Amino acid sequence: MKRMNPSDKLECFLSYLEEVKKEYEENFAIVGEEDRWLQDYLHALEFAPNKQERNKVATQFQQSRRLRRKAKDKVMELEKVYDFQKDQANRPVLKRLKATITQQKGNEQFLAGPREYKKRVSDSN
């Protein structure tokens, strides 16, 4: 297995923060959408003309609640990392981390490249 450079590890961390942001916001939107469906399902149950229609709506309602629960659990799982990233107090840290990655990559390229020693004193005496 190839050894990861420090810059690679830092990039993975920043990439993870971006993934968390996207996944959190997608699941948060799902929770909101399923919440809006709640009243529709309740009214559909109330006005269902027969048992078969009530059962059909109840099944849809159950599926909606399960989807909402799954999304809500994911939101709770990611909430602290998302809040850390969104906190304005942490913006400078994340910005400096990006700058550090650029500097670190420069050092890594230097260390991985061809190196030679240049004499500081000449031999002409």
Side-chain angles (χ1 to χ4, degrees):
M1 183 167 100
K2 184 184 173 210
R3 184 180 159 273
M4 285 182 71
N5 289 325
S7 64
D8 297 330
K9 291 179 182 182
L10 292 173
E11 283 180 328
C12 285
F13 175 69
L14 290 179
S15 175
Y16 172 70
L17 290 179
E18 285 301 315
E19 289 173 27
V20 164
K21 179 179 184 264
K22 181 181 177 194
E23 194 171 352
Y24 177 92
E25 290 172 352
E26 286 173 355
N27 282 285
F28 192 84
I30 290 171
V31 171
E33 180 68 22
E34 294 306 317
D35 282 345
R36 287 188 292 279
W37 275 102
L38 175 63
Q39 286 301 317
D40 290 346
Y41 287 128
L42 292 175
H43 283 96
L45 284 171
E46 179 182 3
F47 297 115
N50 56 46
K51 181 180 178 180
Q52 289 82 11
E53 189 61 31
R54 258 193 331 273
N55 287 342
K56 182 179 170 185
V57 172
T59 300
Q60 292 171 339
F61 180 56
Q62 182 184 42
Q63 290 169 347
S64 170
R65 297 308 289 178
R66 286 181 177 166
L67 176 62
R68 182 188 181 280
R69 170 62 47 209
K70 186 177 176 182
K72 187 174 178 187
D73 288 350
K74 196 62 169 174
V75 165
M76 284 183 68
E77 177 185 341
L78 301 174
E79 184 175 31
K80 296 302 176 192
V81 177
Y82 179 81
D83 289 345
F84 172 83
Q85 181 184 7
K86 294 299 277 185
D87 188 346
Q88 291 299 319
N90 295 327
R91 291 285 176 179
V93 173
L94 296 174
K95 193 173 185 177
R96 284 195 341 250
L97 193 55
K98 289 176 185 176
T100 300
I101 290 171
T102 302
Q103 295 168 351
Q104 180 65 30
K105 282 185 174 193
N107 287 350
E108 291 166 0
Q109 287 175 350
F110 170 77
L111 293 171
R115 295 168 64 180
E116 62 181 63
Y117 177 74
K118 296 178 183 171
K119 290 185 177 183
R120 296 179 187 207
V121 179
S122 67
D123 288 331
S124 63
N125 272 7

